[in-house]
Amino acid sequence: MTVFLVVGAVGVVLLLVALVVGDVLDGALEGLSAGFFSTEALAGFLGALGFGGAIALETTGSTSIAVVVGLVLGVLLGWLAARASRFLHGDGEGDTVRTSDMLERIGSVVSAIPEGGFGVVSLSVGGHITRLNARSSVAVAAGTRVSVTQVISPTAVQVEPLFLP
């Protein structure tokens, strides 16, 4: 029983260290598919293996059953911890603003757009406030709400003023 409790305690200590130290420990296991073998997953596995095994040993009195129950619980909790960690950390895919994301977005003119020239608009794309050079077919005053109709370049867009009733 002592071995199971020590393994469970190691899992809890590892989780506490991971919370305090943060992502530093994830680098140590990076070569082993960091999504599954994350610090959180390893801590969940060890904690469930240790404490689940100790409970099973106390209940059944059989070391073999306790090891099997501990392993099953450890794998299950480790898998759940890895999934939760991957969900919370995200994949980074939504963090990047692409020029195609700017089409049909509504923004406001920061610097007036003269006829035939460029001004500046501010857009919110994917939670990021982005300022871009903007061109319009008509002169647009600062503060006017506009819609992006075309992406000219990564730093410039074509806009048209919104005429709201």
Side-chain angles (χ1 to χ4, degrees):
M1 165 124 30
T2 304
V3 173
F4 284 118
L5 292 176
V6 168
V7 170
V10 167
V12 170
V13 168
L14 182 60
L15 182 60
L16 290 174
V17 168
L19 289 173
V20 173
V21 177
D23 289 333
V24 173
L25 290 180
D26 279 339
L29 300 173
E30 200 168 287
L32 300 172
S33 173
F36 183 75
F37 290 105
S38 66
T39 307
E40 297 87 357
L42 185 59
F45 172 76
L46 291 175
L49 170 67
F51 295 128
I55 291 170
L57 181 61
E58 183 66 29
T59 305
T60 65
S62 170
T63 305
S64 303
I65 293 174
V67 169
V68 171
V69 168
L71 285 172
V72 168
L73 289 175
V75 168
L76 180 64
L77 192 60
W79 179 75
L80 287 172
R83 298 253 333 199
S85 175
R86 194 174 312 127
F87 173 75
L88 292 174
H89 288 283
D91 58 1
E93 191 77 15
D95 297 342
T96 304
V97 176
R98 292 177 172 60
T99 54
S100 61
D101 296 337
M102 296 177 203
L103 282 174
E104 298 180 2
R105 293 289 178 166
I106 295 174
S108 62
V109 177
V110 176
S111 176
I113 305 170
E115 188 173 342
F118 282 91
V120 178
V121 295
S122 178
L123 305 169
S124 176
V125 182
H128 300 279
I129 302 295
T130 305
R131 286 192 173 192
L132 299 165
N133 296 321
R135 180 172 70 184
S136 178
S137 59
V138 295
V140 183
T144 305
R145 305 280 292 167
V146 293
S147 175
V148 177
T149 58
Q150 179 184 0
V151 176
I152 299 169
S153 75
T155 59
V157 292
Q158 176 79 28
V159 297
E160 293 301 325
L162 291 178
F163 296 105
L164 302 174

